Amino acid sequence: MTKFEDLGLRPEILTAIAELGYDAPMPVQEQVIPFMLEQSGDLVALAQTGTGKTAAFGLPLFTLIAPAEQNIQALVLSPTRELCIQIAKDLKNYAHLQKGVKVVPVYGGENIVTQLRQLDTPPQILVATPGRLIDLIERGKVNLANVRYLVLDEADEMLNMGFQEDVERILQETPAERRTLLFSATMPAEIACIAKKYMRHATEISVGVRNAGADNVDHVYYMVQARHRYLALKRIVDMNPDIYGIVFCRTRQETKEVAEKLMADGYNADALHGDLSQPQRDTVMSKFRLRHLQLLVATDVAARGLDVSDLTHVINYNLPDDVEIYTHRSGRTGRAHKSGVSVSIIHSRERHRIREIERMIKKTFRQERVPNGIDICKRQLFHLIGRMETVDVNSVEIEPFMPHVFSKLEYLSKDEIIRRFVSLEFNRFLDYYKNAEDLNLPEQPTRDATRREKPARSERHSSGAKRGQRVRLKLNLGTRQNATTRSILGAINEVTNDKSISIGDIEITHKFTFFDVFADQADKVLDAFAHSGGPLEVTVVETRDRDDKRPFRSDKKQTARSDSRRAKDRSHSRSSERSSRRRDDNSAVVNSEKPWRRKRY
Ligand code: AMP
């Protein structure tokens, strides 16, 4: 096995990384460090987040730069502020024993005056986001004429975020004879183009198979109805009391909703999305890094640059549209030689997408059943016992109270005391999960059996067949966007592309439209809107009882006519009042499993 000592790094750097607990180089480091120290060409490295790429380019830089010269000799470009800060922090950790070396991060969203001051004496290594760097170049505060090493980190993200022009401009500000090192998780054509235009005879290395999931990540999926996603998430979390993970959602709205529900249900969770101000994002990220939060609910964009190496789980609340995003997400667990679990909560029609991801990442997913109440109670009970066994007893502090405690409990047997202490915590789980329903979808019959059992067309469409339960959905379109019953039905038809879906009891308010669908068609609607990629979002607000007899109308044309007339008659204030009442009611009916409190840990 290669050792760091064999790679030609400075002794101060070896001491610093030993302090950080790096025992042996990771594969990308084994390849990149000798390349940088022993060769002279450019490099294109296909490496994902979490592979140890920062140390791969960072450690040799400290051997290559001249600490005595006070000019920018190495420039590291990063797509986001968070990644920029993280890289600078890692580099400073590596260099803290090396005298005279200065690393400075410059990024947008931060007071430029502070950054200008830090540049009064130029650092040897500058870590920057493209926009802020150009600003500083234009102010004459940054001179890139002495740059000998240019690192483009997460180059694909840089392009995704629209920085191509800025990057090209920066490349032109640096000397032609510099060495360029490009790191990217994927290799789209634009990157190949940049490499061709600005790099000389670049050596390509790839760490692991392209798009391959890390070896120590377990890929698991749970299949439930779309409206049970949140309940399934809670059960997965309850089944893993020590979970420390990121729950990835598709939209900011979904991120907010899931995080709010988790917090209301007493979990240690918070949201990270683009609507937060920079200080708010910093606070959430730092709470998560310090493990004051157990679950971070985030969008992909917001979570970029958040470097946390010991996540136990990554949860795909919704599968991403793009396999590469799945790889990015799952690559956030199982880092630095640890194992991790990438969980996906899917519904039945997404099974083929799991197969697609399996093919791309060359890993097999394991389907697991959503745990039932008994499984969870058992797991929580033994977790509690485990905590009790390993708790630190502060004998000195507790001693003065013990005689009183012993005398108070004297009349109870040891057996009874244990039962009562355990029940203090355990009763909550027992109560909560007492009548918990099975969230798993019934086993899928084989194709032959499906064919045999398929009812006649007329039978499938008859509204009597087990269609008692309905689901009330909410669409983010209302009268303020001039929505009418007709336009709403049109939108649903267009997005679902399925005219067999029956829509009932449409109610249009200022901001939203509420409508009913049969429970067995709800997933179809939710799924279609979730995948539509547009601004329209549909969420579940209520599951209605079987004996609620308000009619469903399957003929949309007829419904459109009658409802639009009725909608005209309804005054705006009345409908908003009704909707707000319904929304208040929702808090009681959405997710009928009642909330329970959980202690902060
Ligand atoms: P990166 O891909 O640079 O984001 O690194 C992922 C994580 O791995 C970071 O938390 C690093 O601190 C950690 N790391 C990097 N190199 C090593 C190593 N050789 N041994 C253990 N951990 C490492």
Side-chain angles (χ1 to χ4, degrees):
M1 195 171 76
T2 315
K3 292 193 206 138
F4 276 118
E5 287 75 7
D6 304 332
L7 298 179
L9 297 167
R10 280 180 189 271
E12 305 94 307
I13 297 288
L14 292 176
T15 313
I17 56 179
E19 283 170 8
L20 290 171
Y22 294 7
D23 295 332
M26 291 165 89
V28 68
Q29 296 158 1
E30 270 180 332
Q31 295 193 60
V32 174
I33 297 174
F35 175 84
M36 283 183 72
L37 295 179
E38 292 158 21
Q39 299 189 34
S40 58
D42 290 348
L43 178 81
V44 173
L46 204 57
Q48 282 149 15
T49 313
T51 50
K53 60 191 166 64
T54 313
F57 64 74
L59 300 178
L61 279 182
F62 295 107
T63 302
L64 295 166
I65 54 158
E69 289 174 27
Q70 288 187 337
N71 50 27
I72 302 169
Q73 300 164 45
L75 169 66
V76 182
L77 278 186
S78 129
T80 62
R81 164 197 158 102
E82 286 76 21
L83 183 62
C84 179
I85 295 172
Q86 185 61 43
I87 294 172
K89 191 173 134 235
D90 285 354
L91 297 186
K92 283 179 187 171
N93 282 338
Y94 303 148
H96 79 103
L97 298 171
Q98 207 179 344
K99 288 214 173 65
V101 174
K102 193 171 161 193
V103 178
V104 169
V106 291
Y107 44 83
E110 182 84 354
N111 188 342
I112 197 158
V113 181
T114 325
Q115 294 183 357
L116 288 172
R117 215 173 299 131
Q118 286 182 297
L119 294 168
D120 284 343
T121 319
Q124 290 88 357
I125 302 183
L126 183 70
V127 189
T129 54
R132 177 55 59 101
L133 180 57
I134 288 191
D135 196 347
L136 292 166
I137 293 172
E138 283 170 356
R139 287 167 186 254
K141 281 307 281 188
V142 164
N143 176 359
L144 301 180
N146 297 301
V147 168
R148 286 186 283 133
Y149 303 94
L150 172 63
V151 179
L152 299 171
D153 198 12
E154 298 205 350
D156 48 354
E157 288 307 332
M158 214 111 68
L159 297 189
N160 284 344
M161 294 174 74
F163 285 134
Q164 179 151 0
E165 259 180 45
D166 289 353
V167 171
E168 296 202 21
R169 155 100 202 266
I170 293 164
L171 283 165
Q172 281 159 5
E173 294 281 331
T174 59
E177 59 280 7
R178 59 155 205 265
R179 286 182 77 184
T180 309
L181 308 143
L182 183 152
F183 289 81
S184 191
T186 59
M187 199 47 67
E190 296 92 324
I191 301 261
C193 226
I194 289 196
K196 208 166 150 213
K197 196 161 158 195
Y198 294 99
M199 297 171 77
R200 288 157 302 154
H201 314 296
T203 299
E204 282 189 28
I205 65 158
S206 169
V207 188
V209 185
R210 188 174 167 192
N211 285 335
D215 279 343
N216 35 357
V217 177
D218 208 9
H219 300 266
V220 174
Y221 72 95
Y222 295 86
M223 201 155 67
V224 295
Q225 294 187 27
R227 67 177 192 283
H228 285 152
R229 252 181 236 282
Y230 177 69
L231 296 181
L233 169 69
K234 276 182 29 166
R235 292 202 192 174
I236 294 163
V237 173
D238 286 344
M239 199 60 188
N240 294 281
D242 289 323
I243 193 168
Y244 176 50
I246 303 182
V247 180
F248 282 101
C249 292
R250 198 183 281 275
T251 61
R252 292 171 186 191
Q253 188 55 29
E254 189 176 62
T255 305
K256 282 185 213 166
E257 281 171 11
V258 171
E260 273 163 22
K261 281 187 202 167
L262 284 171
M263 286 188 269
D265 285 348
Y267 293 87
N268 256 321
D270 211 336
L272 188 68
H273 51 74
D275 285 349
L276 300 180
S277 67
Q278 196 58 54
Q280 285 173 322
R281 289 167 53 136
D282 289 345
T283 309
V284 173
M285 288 207 255
S286 114
K287 278 196 321 198
F288 187 59
R289 278 200 197 95
L290 292 168
R291 284 186 173 243
H292 294 167
L293 289 177
Q294 205 173 357
L295 292 169
L296 184 71
V297 189
T299 55
D300 292 287
V301 175
R304 206 173 283 151
L306 171 72
D307 180 64
V308 180
S309 56
D310 46 1
L311 294 182
T312 60
H313 289 72
V314 158
I315 300 182
N316 297 281
Y317 192 70
N318 270 301
L319 278 181
D321 291 328
D322 194 339
V323 177
E324 291 190 351
I325 295 180
Y326 179 87
T327 317
H328 266 289
R329 289 181 179 180
S330 59
R332 289 179 160 278
T333 183
R335 285 189 183 184
H337 310 301
K338 296 203 176 107
S339 61
V341 188
S342 172
V343 172
S344 300
I345 306 176
I346 66 160
H347 58 76
S348 57
R349 278 179 321 286
E350 287 178 317
R351 202 200 283 261
H352 73 280
R353 301 194 52 223
I354 292 284
R355 303 287 164 253
E356 214 174 282
I357 299 173
E358 283 182 329
R359 273 198 305 279
M360 296 288 285
I361 67 169
K362 300 190 171 58
K363 293 268 148 58
T364 311
F365 278 63
R366 197 178 64 249
Q367 179 174 6
E368 286 207 347
R369 289 184 63 75
V370 180
N372 60 29
I374 295 172
D375 298 334
I376 293 171
C377 289
K378 202 164 136 196
R379 175 67 62 90
Q380 290 284 347
L381 177 60
F382 284 96
H383 180 251
L384 176 67
I385 305 290
R387 273 175 51 205
M388 194 271 283
E389 281 183 309
T390 52
V391 70
D392 279 337
V393 177
N394 190 333
S395 308
V396 179
E397 299 284 328
I398 208 170
E399 211 41 59
F401 305 100
M402 289 319 291
H404 192 195
V405 173
F406 285 134
S407 80
K408 208 161 169 359
L409 299 179
E410 213 170 30
Y411 73 104
L412 290 170
S413 67
K414 174 183 162 193
D415 193 75
E416 190 60 19
I417 290 174
I418 294 174
R419 272 176 216 282
R420 289 183 187 215
F421 264 99
V422 164
S423 299
L424 277 179
E425 184 99 351
F426 192 49
N427 284 352
R428 283 207 316 264
F429 285 92
L430 282 179
D431 283 350
Y432 178 64
Y433 281 114
K434 201 159 45 197
N435 298 317
E437 62 179 311
D438 183 2
L439 300 183
N440 294 287
L441 293 181
E443 289 293 318
Q444 297 269 310
T446 61
R447 219 178 245 187
D448 281 355
T450 321
R451 224 174 273 145
R452 271 200 309 277
E453 285 165 18
K454 232 177 197 173
R457 199 177 157 71
S458 55
E459 208 180 316
R460 268 187 280 145
H461 281 267
S462 86
S463 59
K466 289 187 193 137
R467 283 205 151 176
Q469 215 176 28
R470 336 179 225 196
V471 179
R472 188 130 186 97
L473 301 178
K474 181 175 92 175
L475 172 67
N476 59 340
L477 262 190
T479 49
R480 71 172 176 178
Q481 289 102 344
N482 299 325
T484 60
T485 311
R486 186 185 294 275
S487 66
I488 294 292
L489 288 171
I492 299 170
N493 271 342
E494 194 180 313
V495 173
T496 59
N497 196 19
D498 183 347
K499 296 200 173 178
S500 72
I501 294 172
S502 305
I503 309 292
D505 200 19
I506 299 177
E507 184 189 348
I508 305 176
T509 70
H510 186 51
K511 285 190 188 166
F512 301 107
T513 296
F514 297 85
F515 60 94
D516 286 354
V517 290
F518 288 118
D520 59 355
Q521 294 185 322
D523 283 352
K524 220 181 252 179
V525 178
L526 289 165
D527 191 35
F529 277 90
H531 287 96
S532 69
L536 296 185
E537 282 175 15
V538 170
T539 47
V540 178
V541 287
E542 180 181 351
T543 301
R544 229 186 256 174
D545 285 346
R546 279 162 200 270
D547 48 9
D548 187 334
K549 292 287 188 283
R550 266 179 286 172
F552 265 81
R553 290 171 290 269
S554 51
D555 178 351
K556 287 184 200 166
K557 276 193 183 145
Q558 194 190 323
T559 316
R561 250 179 275 124
S562 53
D563 272 359
S564 66
R565 200 167 302 133
R566 219 175 305 141
K568 271 187 200 149
D569 294 345
R570 258 187 220 148
S571 74
H572 171 65
S573 60
R574 194 175 136 221
S575 59
S576 344
E577 179 197 307
R578 207 179 138 197
S579 88
S580 63
R581 185 202 61 207
R582 193 186 292 283
R583 264 173 281 159
D584 288 347
D585 290 346
N586 289 342
S587 53
V589 285
V590 174
N591 301 314
S592 53
E593 290 198 21
K594 58 178 194 261
W596 50 279
R597 307 298 308 173
R598 183 179 215 182
K599 245 197 232 150
R600 284 180 170 266
Y601 75 119

Coordinates of all heavy atoms in Angstrom, one line a residue, residues 368-418:
E368 N -36.2 -2.7 0.4 CA -36.5 -3.1 1.8 C -37.9 -2.7 2.1 O -38.5 -1.8 1.5 CB -35.5 -2.3 2.8 CG -34.2 -2.9 2.7 CD -33.4 -2.7 4.0 OE1 -33.8 -1.8 4.8 OE2 -32.3 -3.3 4.1
R369 N -38.5 -3.4 3.1 CA -39.9 -3.1 3.4 C -39.9 -2.0 4.5 O -39.0 -1.9 5.3 CB -40.5 -4.3 4.0 CG -40.8 -5.4 3.0 CD -41.5 -6.6 3.6 NE -42.9 -6.2 4.1 CZ -43.9 -6.0 3.3 NH1 -43.8 -6.1 2.0 NH2 -45.1 -5.7 3.9
V370 N -40.8 -1.0 4.3 CA -40.9 0.0 5.3 C -41.2 -0.6 6.6 O -42.1 -1.4 6.8 CB -42.1 1.0 4.9 CG1 -42.2 2.1 5.9 CG2 -41.9 1.5 3.5
P371 N -40.4 -0.3 7.7 CA -40.6 -1.0 8.9 C -41.9 -0.7 9.5 O -42.5 0.3 9.3 CB -39.5 -0.4 9.8 CG -38.9 0.8 9.1 CD -39.3 0.7 7.7
N372 N -42.4 -1.7 10.2 CA -43.7 -1.5 10.9 C -43.5 -1.0 12.3 O -42.4 -0.9 12.8 CB -44.6 -2.8 10.8 CG -43.9 -4.0 11.5 OD1 -43.1 -3.7 12.5 ND2 -44.1 -5.2 11.1
G373 N -44.6 -0.8 13.0 CA -44.5 -0.2 14.3 C -43.7 -1.1 15.3 O -42.9 -0.6 16.1
I374 N -43.9 -2.4 15.2 CA -43.2 -3.3 16.1 C -41.7 -3.2 15.9 O -40.9 -3.1 16.9 CB -43.8 -4.7 16.0 CG1 -45.2 -4.8 16.4 CG2 -43.0 -5.7 16.8 CD1 -46.0 -6.0 16.1
D375 N -41.3 -3.3 14.6 CA -39.9 -3.2 14.3 C -39.3 -2.0 14.9 O -38.2 -2.0 15.5 CB -39.6 -3.1 12.8 CG -40.1 -4.3 12.1 OD1 -40.2 -5.4 12.7 OD2 -40.5 -4.2 10.8
I376 N -40.0 -0.8 14.8 CA -39.4 0.4 15.2 C -39.4 0.5 16.8 O -38.4 0.9 17.3 CB -40.3 1.6 14.7 CG1 -40.1 1.7 13.2 CG2 -39.9 2.9 15.3 CD1 -41.0 2.6 12.4
C377 N -40.4 0.0 17.4 CA -40.4 0.1 18.9 C -39.3 -0.8 19.4 O -38.6 -0.4 20.4 CB -41.8 -0.5 19.4 SG -43.1 0.7 19.1
K378 N -39.1 -2.0 18.8 CA -38.0 -2.8 19.2 C -36.7 -2.1 19.1 O -35.8 -2.1 20.0 CB -38.0 -4.1 18.4 CG -37.4 -5.3 19.0 CD -37.9 -6.5 18.2 CE -36.7 -7.4 18.0 NZ -36.9 -8.4 17.0
R379 N -36.4 -1.5 17.9 CA -35.2 -0.9 17.6 C -34.9 0.3 18.6 O -33.9 0.4 19.2 CB -35.2 -0.3 16.2 CG -33.9 0.5 15.8 CD -32.7 -0.3 15.8 NE -32.7 -1.4 14.8 CZ -32.3 -1.2 13.6 NH1 -31.8 -0.1 13.2 NH2 -32.4 -2.2 12.7
Q380 N -36.0 1.0 18.9 CA -35.8 2.2 19.8 C -35.6 1.7 21.2 O -34.8 2.3 21.9 CB -37.1 3.1 19.7 CG -37.3 3.8 18.4 CD -36.3 5.0 18.3 OE1 -35.7 5.4 19.3 NE2 -36.2 5.6 17.1
L381 N -36.2 0.6 21.6 CA -36.1 0.1 22.9 C -34.6 -0.3 23.1 O -34.0 0.1 24.1 CB -37.0 -1.1 23.1 CG -36.9 -1.8 24.5 CD1 -37.2 -0.8 25.6 CD2 -37.8 -3.0 24.6
F382 N -34.0 -1.0 22.2 CA -32.7 -1.5 22.4 C -31.6 -0.4 22.2 O -30.6 -0.4 22.8 CB -32.4 -2.7 21.5 CG -33.0 -3.9 22.1 CD1 -34.3 -4.4 21.7 CD2 -32.4 -4.6 23.2 CE1 -34.9 -5.4 22.3 CE2 -33.1 -5.6 23.8 CZ -34.3 -6.1 23.3
H383 N -32.0 0.6 21.4 CA -31.2 1.8 21.3 C -31.1 2.5 22.7 O -30.1 3.0 23.1 CB -31.7 2.8 20.2 CG -30.9 4.0 20.1 ND1 -31.3 5.2 20.4 CD2 -29.7 4.2 19.6 CE1 -30.4 6.1 20.2 NE2 -29.4 5.5 19.6
L384 N -32.3 2.6 23.3 CA -32.4 3.2 24.6 C -31.5 2.5 25.7 O -30.7 3.1 26.4 CB -33.8 3.3 25.0 CG -34.1 3.8 26.4 CD1 -33.8 5.3 26.5 CD2 -35.6 3.6 26.7
I385 N -31.6 1.2 25.6 CA -30.9 0.3 26.5 C -29.4 0.5 26.3 O -28.6 0.7 27.2 CB -31.2 -1.2 26.3 CG1 -32.7 -1.4 26.5 CG2 -30.4 -2.1 27.3 CD1 -33.3 -1.3 27.8
G386 N -29.0 0.6 25.0 CA -27.6 0.8 24.7 C -27.1 2.1 25.2 O -26.0 2.2 25.8
R387 N -27.9 3.2 25.1 CA -27.5 4.5 25.6 C -27.4 4.4 27.1 O -26.4 5.0 27.7 CB -28.6 5.5 25.3 CG -28.4 6.1 23.9 CD -29.5 7.1 23.5 NE -29.8 8.1 24.5 CZ -31.0 8.7 24.6 NH1 -31.9 8.4 23.8 NH2 -31.2 9.6 25.5
M388 N -28.3 3.7 27.7 CA -28.2 3.6 29.2 C -26.9 2.9 29.6 O -26.3 3.3 30.6 CB -29.5 2.9 29.7 CG -29.8 2.9 31.2 SD -28.9 1.6 32.0 CE -30.0 0.2 31.6
E389 N -26.6 1.8 28.9 CA -25.4 1.1 29.3 C -24.1 1.9 29.1 O -23.1 1.7 29.8 CB -25.2 -0.1 28.3 CG -26.2 -1.3 28.8 CD -26.0 -2.5 27.9 OE1 -26.0 -2.3 26.6 OE2 -25.8 -3.6 28.4
T390 N -24.1 2.8 28.1 CA -22.8 3.5 27.8 C -22.8 5.0 28.4 O -21.8 5.7 28.2 CB -22.6 3.6 26.3 OG1 -23.8 4.1 25.7 CG2 -22.3 2.2 25.7
V391 N -23.9 5.4 29.1 CA -23.9 6.8 29.6 C -22.8 7.0 30.6 O -22.4 6.1 31.3 CB -25.3 7.1 30.2 CG1 -25.5 6.4 31.5 CG2 -25.5 8.6 30.4
D392 N -22.2 8.2 30.5 CA -21.2 8.6 31.5 C -21.9 9.0 32.8 O -22.7 9.9 32.7 CB -20.4 9.8 31.0 CG -19.3 9.4 30.0 OD1 -18.9 8.3 30.0 OD2 -18.9 10.3 29.2
V393 N -21.6 8.3 33.8 CA -22.2 8.7 35.1 C -21.2 9.6 35.9 O -20.1 9.2 36.1 CB -22.5 7.4 36.0 CG1 -23.0 7.8 37.3 CG2 -23.4 6.5 35.2
N394 N -21.7 10.8 36.1 CA -20.8 11.7 36.9 C -21.1 11.5 38.4 O -21.9 12.2 39.0 CB -21.2 13.2 36.4 CG -20.3 14.2 37.0 OD1 -19.6 13.9 38.0 ND2 -20.1 15.3 36.3
S395 N -20.3 10.6 38.9 CA -20.5 10.1 40.3 C -20.4 11.2 41.3 O -21.2 11.3 42.2 CB -19.5 9.0 40.6 OG -19.5 8.0 39.7
V396 N -19.4 12.1 41.0 CA -19.2 13.2 42.0 C -20.4 14.1 42.1 O -21.0 14.4 43.2 CB -18.0 14.0 41.7 CG1 -17.7 15.1 42.7 CG2 -16.7 13.1 41.6
E397 N -20.9 14.5 41.0 CA -22.0 15.5 41.0 C -23.3 14.9 41.4 O -24.2 15.5 42.1 CB -22.3 16.0 39.5 CG -21.1 16.8 38.9 CD -20.9 18.2 39.5 OE1 -22.0 18.8 39.8 OE2 -19.8 18.6 39.6
I398 N -23.5 13.6 41.1 CA -24.8 12.9 41.3 C -24.9 12.4 42.8 O -26.0 12.2 43.3 CB -25.1 11.8 40.3 CG1 -26.6 11.7 40.1 CG2 -24.4 10.5 40.6 CD1 -26.9 10.8 38.9
E399 N -23.7 12.1 43.4 CA -23.7 11.5 44.7 C -24.6 12.1 45.7 O -25.3 11.4 46.4 CB -22.2 11.4 45.2 CG -21.9 10.2 46.0 CD -22.5 8.9 45.5 OE1 -22.3 8.5 44.3 OE2 -23.3 8.3 46.3
P400 N -24.5 13.4 45.9 CA -25.3 14.0 47.0 C -26.8 13.7 46.9 O -27.5 13.7 47.9 CB -25.1 15.6 46.8 CG -23.9 15.7 46.0 CD -23.7 14.4 45.2
F401 N -27.3 13.5 45.6 CA -28.7 13.2 45.5 C -29.1 11.8 45.7 O -30.3 11.5 45.8 CB -29.2 13.7 44.0 CG -28.8 15.1 43.7 CD1 -27.7 15.4 43.0 CD2 -29.6 16.1 44.2 CE1 -27.3 16.7 42.6 CE2 -29.2 17.4 43.9 CZ -28.1 17.7 43.1
M402 N -28.1 10.9 45.6 CA -28.4 9.5 45.5 C -29.2 8.9 46.7 O -30.1 8.2 46.6 CB -27.2 8.6 45.2 CG -26.7 8.8 43.7 SD -28.0 8.9 42.5 CE -28.6 7.3 42.5
P403 N -28.7 9.3 48.0 CA -29.4 8.7 49.1 C -30.9 9.0 49.1 O -31.8 8.1 49.3 CB -28.8 9.4 50.3 CG -27.4 9.8 49.8 CD -27.6 10.1 48.4
H404 N -31.3 10.2 48.7 CA -32.7 10.6 48.6 C -33.4 9.8 47.5 O -34.5 9.2 47.7 CB -32.8 12.1 48.4 CG -34.2 12.6 48.6 ND1 -34.7 13.8 48.1 CD2 -35.3 12.0 49.1 CE1 -35.9 13.9 48.4 NE2 -36.3 12.9 49.0
V405 N -32.7 9.6 46.4 CA -33.3 8.9 45.3 C -33.5 7.4 45.7 O -34.6 6.8 45.5 CB -32.4 8.9 44.0 CG1 -32.9 8.0 42.9 CG2 -32.3 10.4 43.5
F406 N -32.5 6.8 46.4 CA -32.6 5.4 46.8 C -33.8 5.3 47.8 O -34.6 4.3 47.7 CB -31.3 4.9 47.5 CG -30.2 4.7 46.5 CD1 -28.9 5.1 46.7 CD2 -30.4 3.9 45.3 CE1 -27.9 4.9 45.8 CE2 -29.4 3.7 44.4 CZ -28.1 4.2 44.6
S407 N -33.9 6.2 48.7 CA -34.9 6.0 49.7 C -36.3 6.2 49.0 O -37.3 5.5 49.4 CB -34.8 6.9 50.9 OG -35.2 8.2 50.6
K408 N -36.4 7.0 48.0 CA -37.7 7.2 47.3 C -38.1 6.0 46.5 O -39.3 5.7 46.4 CB -37.5 8.4 46.4 CG -38.8 9.1 46.2 CD -38.6 10.5 45.7 CE -39.9 11.2 45.2 NZ -41.1 10.4 45.3
L409 N -37.1 5.2 46.0 CA -37.4 4.1 45.2 C -37.3 2.8 45.9 O -37.5 1.7 45.4 CB -36.5 4.0 44.0 CG -36.5 5.3 43.0 CD1 -35.5 5.1 41.9 CD2 -37.9 5.4 42.4
E410 N -37.1 2.8 47.2 CA -36.9 1.7 48.0 C -38.0 0.6 47.9 O -37.7 -0.6 47.8 CB -36.8 2.1 49.5 CG -35.9 1.3 50.3 CD -35.7 2.0 51.7 OE1 -36.7 2.6 52.1 OE2 -34.7 1.9 52.3
Y411 N -39.2 1.0 47.8 CA -40.3 0.1 47.7 C -40.4 -0.7 46.4 O -41.2 -1.6 46.3 CB -41.6 0.8 48.1 CG -42.1 1.7 46.9 CD1 -43.2 1.2 46.1 CD2 -41.5 2.9 46.6 CE1 -43.7 2.0 45.1 CE2 -42.0 3.6 45.6 CZ -43.0 3.2 44.8 OH -43.5 4.0 43.8
L412 N -39.6 -0.3 45.4 CA -39.8 -0.9 44.1 C -38.6 -2.0 43.9 O -37.5 -1.7 44.3 CB -39.6 0.1 43.0 CG -40.7 1.1 42.8 CD1 -40.3 2.2 41.8 CD2 -42.0 0.4 42.3
S413 N -39.0 -3.1 43.2 CA -38.0 -4.1 43.0 C -37.1 -3.6 41.8 O -37.5 -2.7 41.0 CB -38.6 -5.4 42.6 OG -39.3 -5.2 41.3
K414 N -35.9 -4.2 41.6 CA -35.0 -3.8 40.5 C -35.8 -4.0 39.2 O -35.7 -3.1 38.3 CB -33.8 -4.8 40.5 CG -32.9 -4.6 39.4 CD -31.8 -5.6 39.5 CE -31.1 -5.7 38.1 NZ -30.2 -6.9 38.1
D415 N -36.5 -5.1 39.1 CA -37.3 -5.4 37.9 C -38.3 -4.2 37.5 O -38.3 -3.7 36.4 CB -38.0 -6.7 38.1 CG -38.6 -7.2 36.9 OD1 -37.8 -7.8 36.1 OD2 -39.8 -7.1 36.7
E416 N -39.0 -3.8 38.5 CA -40.0 -2.8 38.4 C -39.3 -1.4 38.0 O -39.8 -0.7 37.1 CB -40.8 -2.6 39.6 CG -42.0 -1.8 39.5 CD -43.1 -2.2 38.5 OE1 -43.0 -3.4 38.1 OE2 -43.9 -1.4 38.1
I417 N -38.2 -1.1 38.6 CA -37.5 0.1 38.3 C -37.1 0.2 36.8 O -37.3 1.1 36.1 CB -36.2 0.3 39.2 CG1 -36.7 0.6 40.7 CG2 -35.4 1.5 38.7 CD1 -35.6 0.7 41.7
I418 N -36.5 -0.9 36.4 CA -36.1 -1.0 35.0 C -37.3 -0.8 34.1 O -37.3 0.0 33.1 CB -35.4 -2.3 34.6 CG1 -34.1 -2.4 35.4 CG2 -35.1 -2.5 33.1 CD1 -33.4 -3.7 35.3

